[in-house]
PDB file of all heavy atoms in Angstrom:
ATOM      1  N   LEU A 162       6.895  77.155  28.717  1.00 97.00           N
ATOM      2  CA  LEU A 162       5.971  76.685  29.752  1.00 97.00           C
ATOM      3  C   LEU A 162       6.255  77.340  31.103  1.00 97.00           C
ATOM      4  O   LEU A 162       5.336  77.730  31.828  1.00 97.00           O
ATOM      5  CB  LEU A 162       6.070  75.167  29.879  1.00 97.00           C
ATOM      6  CG  LEU A 162       5.445  74.350  28.746  1.00 97.00           C
ATOM      7  CD1 LEU A 162       5.859  72.889  28.854  1.00 97.00           C
ATOM      8  CD2 LEU A 162       3.924  74.472  28.776  1.00 97.00           C
ATOM      9  N   VAL A 163       7.517  77.459  31.451  1.00 97.00           N
ATOM     10  CA  VAL A 163       7.882  78.029  32.757  1.00 97.00           C
ATOM     11  C   VAL A 163       7.305  79.434  32.907  1.00 97.00           C
ATOM     12  O   VAL A 163       6.876  79.832  33.995  1.00 97.00           O
ATOM     13  CB  VAL A 163       9.414  78.046  32.927  1.00 97.00           C
ATOM     14  CG1 VAL A 163       9.823  78.948  34.096  1.00 97.00           C
ATOM     15  CG2 VAL A 163       9.938  76.630  33.139  1.00 97.00           C
ATOM     16  N   ARG A 164       7.236  80.189  31.829  1.00 95.00           N
ATOM     17  CA  ARG A 164       6.738  81.564  31.877  1.00 95.00           C
ATOM     18  C   ARG A 164       5.216  81.651  31.927  1.00 95.00           C
ATOM     19  O   ARG A 164       4.666  82.723  32.152  1.00 95.00           O
ATOM     20  CB  ARG A 164       7.264  82.349  30.671  1.00 95.00           C
ATOM     21  CG  ARG A 164       8.760  82.609  30.733  1.00 95.00           C
ATOM     22  CD  ARG A 164       9.232  83.313  29.464  1.00 95.00           C
ATOM     23  NE  ARG A 164      10.604  83.749  29.572  1.00 95.00           N
ATOM     24  CZ  ARG A 164      11.657  82.986  29.293  1.00 95.00           C
ATOM     25  NH1 ARG A 164      11.478  81.743  28.895  1.00 95.00           N
ATOM     26  NH2 ARG A 164      12.885  83.456  29.414  1.00 95.00           N
ATOM     27  N   ARG A 165       4.538  80.522  31.719  1.00 95.00           N
ATOM     28  CA  ARG A 165       3.083  80.584  31.601  1.00 95.00           C
ATOM     29  C   ARG A 165       2.318  79.695  32.582  1.00 95.00           C
ATOM     30  O   ARG A 165       1.145  79.954  32.842  1.00 95.00           O
ATOM     31  CB  ARG A 165       2.693  80.208  30.161  1.00 95.00           C
ATOM     32  CG  ARG A 165       3.111  81.255  29.144  1.00 95.00           C
ATOM     33  CD  ARG A 165       3.060  80.701  27.735  1.00 95.00           C
ATOM     34  NE  ARG A 165       3.310  81.752  26.738  1.00 95.00           N
ATOM     35  CZ  ARG A 165       4.524  82.176  26.405  1.00 95.00           C
ATOM     36  NH1 ARG A 165       5.592  81.645  26.987  1.00 95.00           N
ATOM     37  NH2 ARG A 165       4.673  83.133  25.503  1.00 95.00           N
ATOM     38  N   VAL A 166       2.944  78.664  33.080  1.00 95.00           N
ATOM     39  CA  VAL A 166       2.237  77.705  33.933  1.00 95.00           C
ATOM     40  C   VAL A 166       2.203  78.193  35.378  1.00 95.00           C
ATOM     41  O   VAL A 166       3.188  78.731  35.894  1.00 95.00           O
ATOM     42  CB  VAL A 166       2.916  76.315  33.861  1.00 95.00           C
ATOM     43  CG1 VAL A 166       2.242  75.325  34.817  1.00 95.00           C
ATOM     44  CG2 VAL A 166       2.863  75.783  32.434  1.00 95.00           C
ATOM     45  N   GLU A 167       1.071  78.009  36.018  1.00 94.00           N
ATOM     46  CA  GLU A 167       0.913  78.368  37.428  1.00 94.00           C
ATOM     47  C   GLU A 167       1.966  77.669  38.279  1.00 94.00           C
ATOM     48  O   GLU A 167       2.297  76.499  38.044  1.00 94.00           O
ATOM     49  CB  GLU A 167      -0.484  77.944  37.894  1.00 94.00           C
ATOM     50  CG  GLU A 167      -0.750  78.145  39.377  1.00 94.00           C
ATOM     51  CD  GLU A 167      -2.039  77.479  39.804  1.00 94.00           C
ATOM     52  OE1 GLU A 167      -2.953  77.345  38.959  1.00 94.00           O
ATOM     53  OE2 GLU A 167      -2.126  77.077  40.979  1.00 94.00           O
ATOM     54  N   ARG A 168       2.497  78.371  39.285  1.00 94.00           N
ATOM     55  CA  ARG A 168       3.540  77.815  40.142  1.00 94.00           C
ATOM     56  C   ARG A 168       2.934  76.912  41.215  1.00 94.00           C
ATOM     57  O   ARG A 168       2.846  77.267  42.394  1.00 94.00           O
ATOM     58  CB  ARG A 168       4.355  78.942  40.788  1.00 94.00           C
ATOM     59  CG  ARG A 168       5.182  79.766  39.814  1.00 94.00           C
ATOM     60  CD  ARG A 168       6.179  78.892  39.068  1.00 94.00           C
ATOM     61  NE  ARG A 168       6.933  79.629  38.067  1.00 94.00           N
ATOM     62  CZ  ARG A 168       8.114  80.190  38.287  1.00 94.00           C
ATOM     63  NH1 ARG A 168       8.669  80.122  39.472  1.00 94.00           N
ATOM     64  NH2 ARG A 168       8.737  80.824  37.308  1.00 94.00           N
ATOM     65  N   SER A 169       2.502  75.755  40.783  1.00 94.00           N
ATOM     66  CA  SER A 169       2.029  74.741  41.727  1.00 94.00           C
ATOM     67  C   SER A 169       2.305  73.373  41.138  1.00 94.00           C
ATOM     68  O   SER A 169       2.288  73.197  39.909  1.00 94.00           O
ATOM     69  CB  SER A 169       0.531  74.897  42.026  1.00 94.00           C
ATOM     70  OG  SER A 169      -0.261  74.356  40.992  1.00 94.00           O
ATOM     71  N   HIS A 170       2.579  72.403  42.016  1.00 95.00           N
ATOM     72  CA  HIS A 170       2.860  71.047  41.542  1.00 95.00           C
ATOM     73  C   HIS A 170       1.657  70.462  40.810  1.00 95.00           C
ATOM     74  O   HIS A 170       1.806  69.779  39.792  1.00 95.00           O
ATOM     75  CB  HIS A 170       3.236  70.155  42.728  1.00 95.00           C
ATOM     76  CG  HIS A 170       4.530  70.509  43.375  1.00 95.00           C
ATOM     77  ND1 HIS A 170       4.619  71.447  44.380  1.00 95.00           N
ATOM     78  CD2 HIS A 170       5.795  70.067  43.156  1.00 95.00           C
ATOM     79  CE1 HIS A 170       5.886  71.560  44.761  1.00 95.00           C
ATOM     80  NE2 HIS A 170       6.609  70.733  44.028  1.00 95.00           N
ATOM     81  N   LEU A 171       0.471  70.731  41.328  1.00 95.00           N
ATOM     82  CA  LEU A 171      -0.730  70.189  40.711  1.00 95.00           C
ATOM     83  C   LEU A 171      -0.934  70.766  39.314  1.00 95.00           C
ATOM     84  O   LEU A 171      -1.291  70.047  38.372  1.00 95.00           O
ATOM     85  CB  LEU A 171      -1.948  70.473  41.589  1.00 95.00           C
ATOM     86  CG  LEU A 171      -3.279  69.868  41.133  1.00 95.00           C
ATOM     87  CD1 LEU A 171      -3.166  68.351  41.014  1.00 95.00           C
ATOM     88  CD2 LEU A 171      -4.396  70.249  42.096  1.00 95.00           C
ATOM     89  N   ALA A 172      -0.699  72.079  39.148  1.00 95.00           N
ATOM     90  CA  ALA A 172      -0.853  72.710  37.835  1.00 95.00           C
ATOM     91  C   ALA A 172       0.144  72.132  36.839  1.00 95.00           C
ATOM     92  O   ALA A 172      -0.200  71.870  35.684  1.00 95.00           O
ATOM     93  CB  ALA A 172      -0.676  74.219  37.960  1.00 95.00           C
ATOM     94  N   VAL A 173       1.385  71.946  37.278  1.00 96.00           N
ATOM     95  CA  VAL A 173       2.403  71.375  36.393  1.00 96.00           C
ATOM     96  C   VAL A 173       1.990  69.979  35.941  1.00 96.00           C
ATOM     97  O   VAL A 173       2.091  69.627  34.758  1.00 96.00           O
ATOM     98  CB  VAL A 173       3.774  71.327  37.095  1.00 96.00           C
ATOM     99  CG1 VAL A 173       4.778  70.514  36.282  1.00 96.00           C
ATOM    100  CG2 VAL A 173       4.309  72.741  37.320  1.00 96.00           C
ATOM    101  N   LEU A 174       1.501  69.176  36.878  1.00 96.00           N
ATOM    102  CA  LEU A 174       1.086  67.813  36.541  1.00 96.00           C
ATOM    103  C   LEU A 174      -0.087  67.817  35.564  1.00 96.00           C
ATOM    104  O   LEU A 174      -0.113  67.037  34.603  1.00 96.00           O
ATOM    105  CB  LEU A 174       0.715  67.055  37.814  1.00 96.00           C
ATOM    106  CG  LEU A 174       0.446  65.557  37.647  1.00 96.00           C
ATOM    107  CD1 LEU A 174       1.680  64.840  37.114  1.00 96.00           C
ATOM    108  CD2 LEU A 174       0.025  64.944  38.980  1.00 96.00           C
ATOM    109  N   ARG A 175      -1.049  68.703  35.789  1.00 96.00           N
ATOM    110  CA  ARG A 175      -2.199  68.787  34.879  1.00 96.00           C
ATOM    111  C   ARG A 175      -1.756  69.201  33.476  1.00 96.00           C
ATOM    112  O   ARG A 175      -2.263  68.689  32.467  1.00 96.00           O
ATOM    113  CB  ARG A 175      -3.220  69.777  35.427  1.00 96.00           C
ATOM    114  CG  ARG A 175      -4.019  69.238  36.617  1.00 96.00           C
ATOM    115  CD  ARG A 175      -4.893  70.310  37.213  1.00 96.00           C
ATOM    116  NE  ARG A 175      -5.765  69.777  38.257  1.00 96.00           N
ATOM    117  CZ  ARG A 175      -6.425  70.517  39.127  1.00 96.00           C
ATOM    118  NH1 ARG A 175      -6.313  71.848  39.075  1.00 96.00           N
ATOM    119  NH2 ARG A 175      -7.193  69.968  40.044  1.00 96.00           N
ATOM    120  N   VAL A 176      -0.834  70.132  33.403  1.00 97.00           N
ATOM    121  CA  VAL A 176      -0.332  70.584  32.109  1.00 97.00           C
ATOM    122  C   VAL A 176       0.364  69.439  31.373  1.00 97.00           C
ATOM    123  O   VAL A 176       0.126  69.206  30.182  1.00 97.00           O
ATOM    124  CB  VAL A 176       0.624  71.782  32.303  1.00 97.00           C
ATOM    125  CG1 VAL A 176       1.500  71.989  31.071  1.00 97.00           C
ATOM    126  CG2 VAL A 176      -0.175  73.046  32.608  1.00 97.00           C
ATOM    127  N   VAL A 177       1.225  68.717  32.082  1.00 97.00           N
ATOM    128  CA  VAL A 177       1.941  67.606  31.445  1.00 97.00           C
ATOM    129  C   VAL A 177       0.971  66.505  31.034  1.00 97.00           C
ATOM    130  O   VAL A 177       1.115  65.907  29.964  1.00 97.00           O
ATOM    131  CB  VAL A 177       3.042  67.068  32.379  1.00 97.00           C
ATOM    132  CG1 VAL A 177       3.688  65.818  31.795  1.00 97.00           C
ATOM    133  CG2 VAL A 177       4.104  68.137  32.621  1.00 97.00           C
ATOM    134  N   ASP A 178      -0.032  66.231  31.864  1.00 97.00           N
ATOM    135  CA  ASP A 178      -1.053  65.238  31.504  1.00 97.00           C
ATOM    136  C   ASP A 178      -1.747  65.623  30.198  1.00 97.00           C
ATOM    137  O   ASP A 178      -1.954  64.786  29.310  1.00 97.00           O
ATOM    138  CB  ASP A 178      -2.106  65.113  32.618  1.00 97.00           C
ATOM    139  CG  ASP A 178      -1.615  64.322  33.819  1.00 97.00           C
ATOM    140  OD1 ASP A 178      -0.586  63.621  33.688  1.00 97.00           O
ATOM    141  OD2 ASP A 178      -2.264  64.413  34.885  1.00 97.00           O
ATOM    142  N   ARG A 179      -2.130  66.895  30.104  1.00 97.00           N
ATOM    143  CA  ARG A 179      -2.826  67.366  28.903  1.00 97.00           C
ATOM    144  C   ARG A 179      -1.934  67.273  27.672  1.00 97.00           C
ATOM    145  O   ARG A 179      -2.370  66.870  26.588  1.00 97.00           O
ATOM    146  CB  ARG A 179      -3.295  68.811  29.114  1.00 97.00           C
ATOM    147  CG  ARG A 179      -3.961  69.431  27.893  1.00 97.00           C
ATOM    148  CD  ARG A 179      -5.212  68.676  27.483  1.00 97.00           C
ATOM    149  NE  ARG A 179      -5.853  69.334  26.350  1.00 97.00           N
ATOM    150  CZ  ARG A 179      -6.940  68.881  25.749  1.00 97.00           C
ATOM    151  NH1 ARG A 179      -7.510  67.775  26.201  1.00 97.00           N
ATOM    152  NH2 ARG A 179      -7.459  69.530  24.729  1.00 97.00           N
ATOM    153  N   ILE A 180      -0.673  67.645  27.838  1.00 98.00           N
ATOM    154  CA  ILE A 180       0.256  67.575  26.710  1.00 98.00           C
ATOM    155  C   ILE A 180       0.458  66.127  26.275  1.00 98.00           C
ATOM    156  O   ILE A 180       0.504  65.826  25.073  1.00 98.00           O
ATOM    157  CB  ILE A 180       1.605  68.226  27.095  1.00 98.00           C
ATOM    158  CG1 ILE A 180       1.416  69.742  27.288  1.00 98.00           C
ATOM    159  CG2 ILE A 180       2.665  67.950  26.040  1.00 98.00           C
ATOM    160  CD1 ILE A 180       2.619  70.443  27.877  1.00 98.00           C
ATOM    161  N   GLU A 181       0.554  65.221  27.230  1.00 97.00           N
ATOM    162  CA  GLU A 181       0.717  63.810  26.888  1.00 97.00           C
ATOM    163  C   GLU A 181      -0.507  63.285  26.135  1.00 97.00           C
ATOM    164  O   GLU A 181      -0.376  62.532  25.159  1.00 97.00           O
ATOM    165  CB  GLU A 181       0.947  62.980  28.148  1.00 97.00           C
ATOM    166  CG  GLU A 181       1.192  61.502  27.848  1.00 97.00           C
ATOM    167  CD  GLU A 181       1.398  60.665  29.090  1.00 97.00           C
ATOM    168  OE1 GLU A 181       0.823  61.027  30.146  1.00 97.00           O
ATOM    169  OE2 GLU A 181       2.098  59.656  29.001  1.00 97.00           O
ATOM    170  N   GLU A 182      -1.698  63.683  26.564  1.00 97.00           N
ATOM    171  CA  GLU A 182      -2.916  63.260  25.871  1.00 97.00           C
ATOM    172  C   GLU A 182      -2.900  63.736  24.414  1.00 97.00           C
ATOM    173  O   GLU A 182      -3.267  62.987  23.501  1.00 97.00           O
ATOM    174  CB  GLU A 182      -4.151  63.844  26.578  1.00 97.00           C
ATOM    175  CG  GLU A 182      -4.468  63.203  27.924  1.00 97.00           C
ATOM    176  CD  GLU A 182      -5.611  63.915  28.626  1.00 97.00           C
ATOM    177  OE1 GLU A 182      -6.218  64.823  28.012  1.00 97.00           O
ATOM    178  OE2 GLU A 182      -5.889  63.570  29.780  1.00 97.00           O
ATOM    179  N   THR A 183      -2.474  64.976  24.228  1.00 97.00           N
ATOM    180  CA  THR A 183      -2.417  65.524  22.873  1.00 97.00           C
ATOM    181  C   THR A 183      -1.380  64.783  22.033  1.00 97.00           C
ATOM    182  O   THR A 183      -1.624  64.454  20.860  1.00 97.00           O
ATOM    183  CB  THR A 183      -2.071  67.019  22.926  1.00 97.00           C
ATOM    184  OG1 THR A 183      -3.064  67.702  23.702  1.00 97.00           O
ATOM    185  CG2 THR A 183      -2.008  67.619  21.536  1.00 97.00           C
ATOM    186  N   ALA A 184      -0.219  64.512  22.611  1.00 97.00           N
ATOM    187  CA  ALA A 184       0.833  63.789  21.889  1.00 97.00           C
ATOM    188  C   ALA A 184       0.365  62.385  21.515  1.00 97.00           C
ATOM    189  O   ALA A 184       0.620  61.905  20.403  1.00 97.00           O
ATOM    190  CB  ALA A 184       2.101  63.727  22.737  1.00 97.00           C
ATOM    191  N   ASP A 185      -0.320  61.722  22.451  1.00 96.00           N
ATOM    192  CA  ASP A 185      -0.837  60.382  22.163  1.00 96.00           C
ATOM    193  C   ASP A 185      -1.853  60.431  21.021  1.00 96.00           C
ATOM    194  O   ASP A 185      -1.863  59.558  20.142  1.00 96.00           O
ATOM    195  CB  ASP A 185      -1.488  59.785  23.415  1.00 96.00           C
ATOM    196  CG  ASP A 185      -0.472  59.396  24.478  1.00 96.00           C
ATOM    197  OD1 ASP A 185       0.719  59.312  24.141  1.00 96.00           O
ATOM    198  OD2 ASP A 185      -0.884  59.192  25.646  1.00 96.00           O
ATOM    199  N   HIS A 186      -2.727  61.444  21.068  1.00 95.00           N
ATOM    200  CA  HIS A 186      -3.749  61.577  20.022  1.00 95.00           C
ATOM    201  C   HIS A 186      -3.111  61.799  18.653  1.00 95.00           C
ATOM    202  O   HIS A 186      -3.594  61.271  17.630  1.00 95.00           O
ATOM    203  CB  HIS A 186      -4.691  62.734  20.361  1.00 95.00           C
ATOM    204  CG  HIS A 186      -5.761  62.967  19.354  1.00 95.00           C
ATOM    205  ND1 HIS A 186      -6.838  62.105  19.188  1.00 95.00           N
ATOM    206  CD2 HIS A 186      -5.937  63.964  18.434  1.00 95.00           C
ATOM    207  CE1 HIS A 186      -7.612  62.549  18.223  1.00 95.00           C
ATOM    208  NE2 HIS A 186      -7.098  63.677  17.745  1.00 95.00           N
ATOM    209  N   ARG A 187      -2.026  62.555  18.635  1.00 95.00           N
ATOM    210  CA  ARG A 187      -1.347  62.841  17.365  1.00 95.00           C
ATOM    211  C   ARG A 187      -0.304  61.787  17.013  1.00 95.00           C
ATOM    212  O   ARG A 187       0.350  61.883  15.970  1.00 95.00           O
ATOM    213  CB  ARG A 187      -0.674  64.219  17.442  1.00 95.00           C
ATOM    214  CG  ARG A 187      -1.643  65.358  17.654  1.00 95.00           C
ATOM    215  CD  ARG A 187      -0.968  66.695  17.431  1.00 95.00           C
ATOM    216  NE  ARG A 187      -1.875  67.810  17.628  1.00 95.00           N
ATOM    217  CZ  ARG A 187      -1.602  69.061  17.275  1.00 95.00           C
ATOM    218  NH1 ARG A 187      -0.438  69.339  16.692  1.00 95.00           N
ATOM    219  NH2 ARG A 187      -2.475  70.016  17.496  1.00 95.00           N
ATOM    220  N   ARG A 188      -0.133  60.819  17.894  1.00 96.00           N
ATOM    221  CA  ARG A 188       0.817  59.730  17.688  1.00 96.00           C
ATOM    222  C   ARG A 188       2.229  60.258  17.445  1.00 96.00           C
ATOM    223  O   ARG A 188       2.914  59.881  16.489  1.00 96.00           O
ATOM    224  CB  ARG A 188       0.373  58.839  16.525  1.00 96.00           C
ATOM    225  CG  ARG A 188      -0.955  58.147  16.786  1.00 96.00           C
ATOM    226  CD  ARG A 188      -1.327  57.204  15.666  1.00 96.00           C
ATOM    227  NE  ARG A 188      -2.592  56.534  15.966  1.00 96.00           N
ATOM    228  CZ  ARG A 188      -3.162  55.630  15.171  1.00 96.00           C
ATOM    229  NH1 ARG A 188      -2.577  55.300  14.027  1.00 96.00           N
ATOM    230  NH2 ARG A 188      -4.309  55.063  15.506  1.00 96.00           N
ATOM    231  N   THR A 189       2.645  61.143  18.337  1.00 96.00           N
ATOM    232  CA  THR A 189       3.990  61.702  18.267  1.00 96.00           C
ATOM    233  C   THR A 189       4.545  61.828  19.665  1.00 96.00           C
ATOM    234  O   THR A 189       3.792  61.975  20.629  1.00 96.00           O
ATOM    235  CB  THR A 189       3.989  63.075  17.569  1.00 96.00           C
ATOM    236  OG1 THR A 189       5.338  63.566  17.492  1.00 96.00           O
ATOM    237  CG2 THR A 189       3.157  64.089  18.346  1.00 96.00           C
ATOM    238  N   ARG A 190       5.860  61.760  19.796  1.00 96.00           N
ATOM    239  CA  ARG A 190       6.515  62.005  21.081  1.00 96.00           C
ATOM    240  C   ARG A 190       7.294  63.323  21.027  1.00 96.00           C
ATOM    241  O   ARG A 190       7.853  63.739  22.033  1.00 96.00           O
ATOM    242  CB  ARG A 190       7.479  60.863  21.466  1.00 96.00           C
ATOM    243  CG  ARG A 190       6.907  59.474  21.382  1.00 96.00           C
ATOM    244  CD  ARG A 190       5.515  59.364  21.958  1.00 96.00           C
ATOM    245  NE  ARG A 190       5.484  59.407  23.411  1.00 96.00           N
ATOM    246  CZ  ARG A 190       4.355  59.526  24.119  1.00 96.00           C
ATOM    247  NH1 ARG A 190       3.199  59.650  23.509  1.00 96.00           N
ATOM    248  NH2 ARG A 190       4.405  59.551  25.442  1.00 96.00           N
ATOM    249  N   LYS A 191       7.337  63.940  19.861  1.00 97.00           N
ATOM    250  CA  LYS A 191       8.054  65.215  19.721  1.00 97.00           C
ATOM    251  C   LYS A 191       7.078  66.355  19.938  1.00 97.00           C
ATOM    252  O   LYS A 191       6.065  66.459  19.251  1.00 97.00           O
ATOM    253  CB  LYS A 191       8.719  65.314  18.348  1.00 97.00           C
ATOM    254  CG  LYS A 191       9.484  66.615  18.135  1.00 97.00           C
ATOM    255  CD  LYS A 191      10.252  66.624  16.839  1.00 97.00           C
ATOM    256  CE  LYS A 191      11.481  65.745  16.926  1.00 97.00           C
ATOM    257  NZ  LYS A 191      12.383  65.917  15.748  1.00 97.00           N
ATOM    258  N   LEU A 192       7.402  67.225  20.880  1.00 97.00           N
ATOM    259  CA  LEU A 192       6.519  68.333  21.239  1.00 97.00           C
ATOM    260  C   LEU A 192       6.996  69.622  20.575  1.00 97.00           C
ATOM    261  O   LEU A 192       8.191  69.828  20.376  1.00 97.00           O
ATOM    262  CB  LEU A 192       6.502  68.517  22.755  1.00 97.00           C
ATOM    263  CG  LEU A 192       6.163  67.281  23.593  1.00 97.00           C
ATOM    264  CD1 LEU A 192       6.219  67.620  25.081  1.00 97.00           C
ATOM    265  CD2 LEU A 192       4.791  66.723  23.218  1.00 97.00           C
ATOM    266  N   SER A 193       6.031  70.492  20.281  1.00 96.00           N
ATOM    267  CA  SER A 193       6.353  71.806  19.725  1.00 96.00           C
ATOM    268  C   SER A 193       5.527  72.852  20.455  1.00 96.00           C
ATOM    269  O   SER A 193       4.469  72.545  21.033  1.00 96.00           O
ATOM    270  CB  SER A 193       6.035  71.852  18.224  1.00 96.00           C
ATOM    271  OG  SER A 193       4.636  71.783  18.009  1.00 96.00           O
ATOM    272  N   ILE A 194       5.983  74.082  20.418  1.00 97.00           N
ATOM    273  CA  ILE A 194       5.252  75.163  21.074  1.00 97.00           C
ATOM    274  C   ILE A 194       3.858  75.342  20.468  1.00 97.00           C
ATOM    275  O   ILE A 194       2.878  75.462  21.215  1.00 97.00           O
ATOM    276  CB  ILE A 194       6.065  76.474  21.039  1.00 97.00           C
ATOM    277  CG1 ILE A 194       7.295  76.356  21.944  1.00 97.00           C
ATOM    278  CG2 ILE A 194       5.202  77.659  21.475  1.00 97.00           C
ATOM    279  CD1 ILE A 194       8.212  77.569  21.931  1.00 97.00           C
ATOM    280  N   PRO A 195       3.701  75.370  19.132  1.00 96.00           N
ATOM    281  CA  PRO A 195       2.345  75.523  18.582  1.00 96.00           C
ATOM    282  C   PRO A 195       1.392  74.409  19.043  1.00 96.00           C
ATOM    283  O   PRO A 195       0.234  74.687  19.371  1.00 96.00           O
ATOM    284  CB  PRO A 195       2.582  75.471  17.066  1.00 96.00           C
ATOM    285  CG  PRO A 195       3.975  75.955  16.895  1.00 96.00           C
ATOM    286  CD  PRO A 195       4.732  75.415  18.075  1.00 96.00           C
ATOM    287  N   MET A 196       1.865  73.171  19.077  1.00 96.00           N
ATOM    288  CA  MET A 196       1.018  72.069  19.500  1.00 96.00           C
ATOM    289  C   MET A 196       0.614  72.228  20.966  1.00 96.00           C
ATOM    290  O   MET A 196      -0.554  72.078  21.325  1.00 96.00           O
ATOM    291  CB  MET A 196       1.735  70.737  19.304  1.00 96.00           C
ATOM    292  CG  MET A 196       0.903  69.515  19.681  1.00 96.00           C
ATOM    293  SD  MET A 196       1.809  67.965  19.451  1.00 96.00           S
ATOM    294  CE  MET A 196       2.780  67.927  20.951  1.00 96.00           C
ATOM    295  N   VAL A 197       1.595  72.541  21.808  1.00 97.00           N
ATOM    296  CA  VAL A 197       1.328  72.689  23.238  1.00 97.00           C
ATOM    297  C   VAL A 197       0.450  73.906  23.499  1.00 97.00           C
ATOM    298  O   VAL A 197      -0.472  73.858  24.319  1.00 97.00           O
ATOM    299  CB  VAL A 197       2.665  72.786  24.006  1.00 97.00           C
ATOM    300  CG1 VAL A 197       2.430  73.225  25.443  1.00 97.00           C
ATOM    301  CG2 VAL A 197       3.398  71.452  23.964  1.00 97.00           C
ATOM    302  N   ARG A 198       0.696  75.006  22.783  1.00 96.00           N
ATOM    303  CA  ARG A 198      -0.120  76.208  22.953  1.00 96.00           C
ATOM    304  C   ARG A 198      -1.590  75.914  22.671  1.00 96.00           C
ATOM    305  O   ARG A 198      -2.480  76.281  23.446  1.00 96.00           O
ATOM    306  CB  ARG A 198       0.378  77.313  22.026  1.00 96.00           C
ATOM    307  CG  ARG A 198      -0.466  78.587  22.103  1.00 96.00           C
ATOM    308  CD  ARG A 198      -0.141  79.543  20.967  1.00 96.00           C
ATOM    309  NE  ARG A 198       1.178  80.130  21.112  1.00 96.00           N
ATOM    310  CZ  ARG A 198       2.137  80.037  20.194  1.00 96.00           C
ATOM    311  NH1 ARG A 198       1.926  79.345  19.074  1.00 96.00           N
ATOM    312  NH2 ARG A 198       3.305  80.603  20.390  1.00 96.00           N
ATOM    313  N   ALA A 199      -1.845  75.228  21.582  1.00 95.00           N
ATOM    314  CA  ALA A 199      -3.225  74.905  21.208  1.00 95.00           C
ATOM    315  C   ALA A 199      -3.876  73.992  22.238  1.00 95.00           C
ATOM    316  O   ALA A 199      -5.023  74.194  22.641  1.00 95.00           O
ATOM    317  CB  ALA A 199      -3.252  74.253  19.830  1.00 95.00           C
TER     318      ALA A 199
END
Side-chain angles (χ1 to χ4, degrees):
L162 287 168
V163 165
R164 291 176 172 86
R165 291 165 173 81
V166 176
E167 175 190 332
R168 293 301 176 93
S169 79
H170 293 87
L171 185 58
V173 170
L174 188 61
R175 285 173 174 165
V176 162
V177 174
D178 284 344
R179 177 61 177 178
I180 292 171
E181 183 181 30
E182 288 174 6
T183 301
D185 288 345
H186 179 72
R187 298 192 180 192
R188 297 184 179 181
T189 182
R190 310 316 286 170
K191 180 174 286 190
L192 306 179
S193 68
I194 291 177
M196 182 181 81
V197 168
R198 178 193 290 123

